[in-house]
Amino acid sequence: MKVIFVGAGPGDPDLLTVKAQRLLSECRICVYAGSLVSPEVVGLVPGDAELHDSAGMTLEQIEAVFVKGRQQNTDVIRLHTGDPAIYGAIREQMHALDRLGIDYEVVPGVSSFQAAAAALKTELTAPEISQTIILSRTSGRTPMPVKQELAELARTESTLCLFLSVHKLAHVARELIPYYGADCPIGVVFRASWPDEVVLRGTLADIAPKVAEAGITRTAMLIVGAALGSDREQDIPVSQLYHRHFSHGYRSADADSGADS
Ligand SMILES: C[S@@+](CC[C@H](N)C(=O)[O-])C[C@H]1O[C@@H](n2cnc3c(N)ncnc32)[C@H](O)[C@@H]1O
């Protein structure tokens, strides 16, 4: 028997891994994060399986379900939204399992920052503009380590994907403007890949009122950076990877590549 931490992906059941789909269809006991995991994903668990919504549970109550699984020699699926390794609060559950001597494994999932990038139809990296993606958040009840305050991250001018921060969007924009500029593009995606997904685009200067008007206060991904502005052909330095004059280990440049390069 073991506990399997499974990434539920961002919402759309088609974005589950094949392994997650199989595990859910075979599941007998499931603890799921009801505040974030989509009902459609939870619906893949067989109707006669035991379901526990962790939103209203303490760690001790979750541990009790793990122990019950061991008593019944039945695997327990611990379903976390997106990828369990990102703001999943899985560490304390793993510590408990270590203490209890119960084995566990992790099945990764598609994270919401990836689903949000897909919804925005953008590439998060752009040559000469951003070759770094930072996954972070603003401080909430969990304070930020001083060296990872938004202003510190902003100095790098990387593409920023901010979780758990949409309710502080006006503050985020104010913090970022000195580094990225007021006209820096930002995308906000509410419930990426859910049927009621909302995609908003703007600049650091104008995004907060747009999001307030849409009534979005939670479950949204913020993606900020100049890379988002390089989606129109005239704006960009693009990767040379597929350019006919560019050689690499798998392809030689056109024979006439010297002619006009
Ligand atoms: C506790 S974190 C969990 C993140 C998750 N492990 C992941 O990889 O996406 C919850 C935050 O993730 C983001 N989030 C989760 N699902 C989302 C979705 N479908 N669309 C947009 N943002 C989402 C929101 O910022 C939300 O506040």
Side-chain angles (χ1 to χ4, degrees), residues 10 36 81-83 86-87 111-113 162-164 189-192 194 219-221:
L36 284 164
T81 184
D83 184 273
I86 303 175
Y87 303 117
S111 175
S112 54
F113 84 90
L162 298 178
F163 295 73
L164 297 158
V189 185
F190 169 73
R191 283 191 170 172
W194 287 55
T219 324
M221 177 62 49

Side-chain angles (χ1 to χ4, degrees), residues 139-155:
S139 57
R141 288 166 73 186
T142 309
M144 290 300 286
V146 175
K147 290 182 181 168
Q148 293 164 31
E149 293 283 0
L150 264 189
E152 292 297 322
L153 305 179
R155 280 180 217 287

Side-chain angles (χ1 to χ4, degrees), residues 112-183:
S112 54
F113 84 90
Q114 296 166 301
L120 288 162
K121 299 182 185 161
T122 194
E123 183 171 354
L124 300 179
T125 51
E128 300 170 43
I129 292 177
S130 175
Q131 291 291 290
T132 305
I133 301 162
I134 295 180
L135 308 182
S136 190
R137 59 172 295 177
T138 47
S139 57
R141 288 166 73 186
T142 309
M144 290 300 286
V146 175
K147 290 182 181 168
Q148 293 164 31
E149 293 283 0
L150 264 189
E152 292 297 322
L153 305 179
R155 280 180 217 287
T156 65
E157 295 180 23
S158 309
T159 307
L160 280 182
C161 300
L162 298 178
F163 295 73
L164 297 158
S165 301
V166 71
H167 62 293
K168 291 173 85 174
L169 181 56
H171 163 79
V172 168
R174 271 197 308 277
E175 290 273 296
L176 296 181
I177 283 175
Y179 303 93
Y180 287 80
D183 59 352

